């Protein structure tokens, strides 16, 4: 059975209106990364950080999946082999488009995490600094987001997927962020065909066997149709 692993990044959600800290304007413009996306920032001002993620959560719930998200969900449904999406995005647009096999390596806006005992539960729309962990009852609720300086989630499982896949496809990622930047080399070393789909060539495009430039909502559906036309 053939296996496809797809890494997705900010570029796939940008067309749904969700910006990142690299963009001008938007939610991030009023904040410094070290204030809202590090454990130290959260320790300094938990209320500011909770409010920031409350706004991002509300914005993500209002956003709609685009043609690229829907195409990847269709691939998972119709491909005869296995399709796994590993996303750097913290929104739920893959799931809302119908993808079921999604790993959130940088966490998930819809998740709450207890900093005390590690318990996870669905985030309320508005998280408050007085929220108690439903398990240990400690007041230690934080967004289930991997901040700068923290370890991405599920890395062992992700490396296993990369080493056993037939295709590794990167969609809308800059190639600047470790460990994701190293995924292509590892997958290629273990025999995968590697493909980059991006608005412009990424920092690691030379590591890919094949690359296509364009809007995710154009080039992802095109690539999915090509894969399905031969392997449906
Ligand atoms: Zn707890």
């Amino acid at each position: 059975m053939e296996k496809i692993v797809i890494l997705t990044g900010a570029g796939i959600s940008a067309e749904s209106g969700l910006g990142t800290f690299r963009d001008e304007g938007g939610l991030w413009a009023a904040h410094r990364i070290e204030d809202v996306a590090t454990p130290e920032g959260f320790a300094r001002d938990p209320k500011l950080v909770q409010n920031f993620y409350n706004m991002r959560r509300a914005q993500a719930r209002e956003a709609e999946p685009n043609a690229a998200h829907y195409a990847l969900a269709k691939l998972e449904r119709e491909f005869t082999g296995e399709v796994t999406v590993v996303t750097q995005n913290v929104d739920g647009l893959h799931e809302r488009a119908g993808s079921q096999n999604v790993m959130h390596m940088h966490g998930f806006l819809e998740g709450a995490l207890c900093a005390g005992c590690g318990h996870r539960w669905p985030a309320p729309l508005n998280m408050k600094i007085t929220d108690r962990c439903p398990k240990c009852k400690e007041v230690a609720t934080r967004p289930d987001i991997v901040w700068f300086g923290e370890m991405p989630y599920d890395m062992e499982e992700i490396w296993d997927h990369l080493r056993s896949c037939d295709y590794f496809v990167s969609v809308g990622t800059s190639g600047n962020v470790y460990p994701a930047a190293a995924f292509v080399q590892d997958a290629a070393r273990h025999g995968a065909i590697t493909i980059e789909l991006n608005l412009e060539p990424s920092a690691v495009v030379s590591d890919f066997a094949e690359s296509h430039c364009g809007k995710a909502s154009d080039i992802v559906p095109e690539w999915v149709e090509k894969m399905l036309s031969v392997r449906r």
Side-chain angles (χ1 to χ4, degrees):
M1 201 169 75
E2 282 191 310
K3 176 167 167 165
I4 305 173
V5 174
I6 302 155
L7 173 70
T8 68
I12 196 169
S13 291
E15 285 179 60
S16 293
L18 298 178
T20 72
F21 62 88
R22 288 190 184 80
D23 298 329
E24 301 289 322
L27 262 183
W28 286 92
H31 299 282
R32 298 188 312 165
I33 288 169
E34 53 268 43
D35 288 338
V36 293
T38 63
E40 294 77 18
F42 184 60
R44 240 183 349 254
D45 192 345
K47 194 172 178 185
L48 172 85
V49 175
Q50 300 268 22
N51 286 341
F52 177 73
Y53 288 94
N54 287 341
M55 283 189 290
R56 289 190 68 194
R57 189 176 303 110
Q59 189 188 50
R61 283 186 188 181
E62 277 171 26
E64 295 292 336
N66 63 57
H69 295 104
Y70 285 113
L72 294 181
K74 180 181 179 185
L75 182 68
E76 184 183 326
R77 270 195 315 273
E78 299 188 9
F79 186 65
T80 49
E82 182 187 315
V83 175
T84 302
V85 172
V86 176
T87 188
Q88 298 174 282
N89 300 335
V90 294
D91 61 63
L93 295 179
H94 283 302
E95 288 87 344
R96 282 171 46 207
S99 288
Q100 299 191 335
N101 208 2
V102 184
M103 302 174 75
H104 282 270
M105 62 180 289
H106 289 166
F108 194 27
L109 282 168
E110 293 296 337
L113 170 68
C114 174
C117 75
H119 182 63
R120 290 190 163 89
W121 66 98
L125 180 59
N126 281 304
M127 202 179 276
K128 296 188 293 295
I129 52 170
T130 50
D131 286 350
R132 278 179 199 282
C133 167
K135 196 171 175 207
C136 74
K137 310 294 178 200
E138 215 184 304
V139 181
T141 300
R142 57 167 278 182
D144 192 7
I145 299 287
V146 176
W147 287 322
F148 290 90
E150 296 183 320
M151 276 289 288
Y153 293 150
D154 303 321
M155 285 311 299
E156 274 188 38
E157 202 183 326
I158 292 171
W159 290 120
D160 283 346
H161 280 304
L162 292 168
R163 287 164 189 172
S164 60
C165 67
D166 300 287
Y167 294 88
F168 171 72
V169 185
S170 174
V171 178
T173 69
S174 65
N176 288 319
V177 183
Y178 187 85
F183 287 0
V184 56
Q185 289 181 3
D186 209 58
R189 208 161 39 235
H190 289 82
I193 294 168
T194 56
I195 303 166
E196 176 174 280
L197 306 174
N198 209 16
L199 194 56
E200 49 194 42
S202 78
V204 292
V205 68
S206 59
D207 291 332
F208 286 85
E210 202 181 304
S211 97
H212 302 274
C213 287
K215 284 165 61 183
S217 60
D218 291 330
I219 59 177
V220 175
E222 275 168 28
W223 171 74
V224 165
E225 289 309 317
K226 202 174 92 188
M227 288 299 286
L228 288 176
S229 67
V230 287
R231 292 180 187 79
R232 202 185 292 259

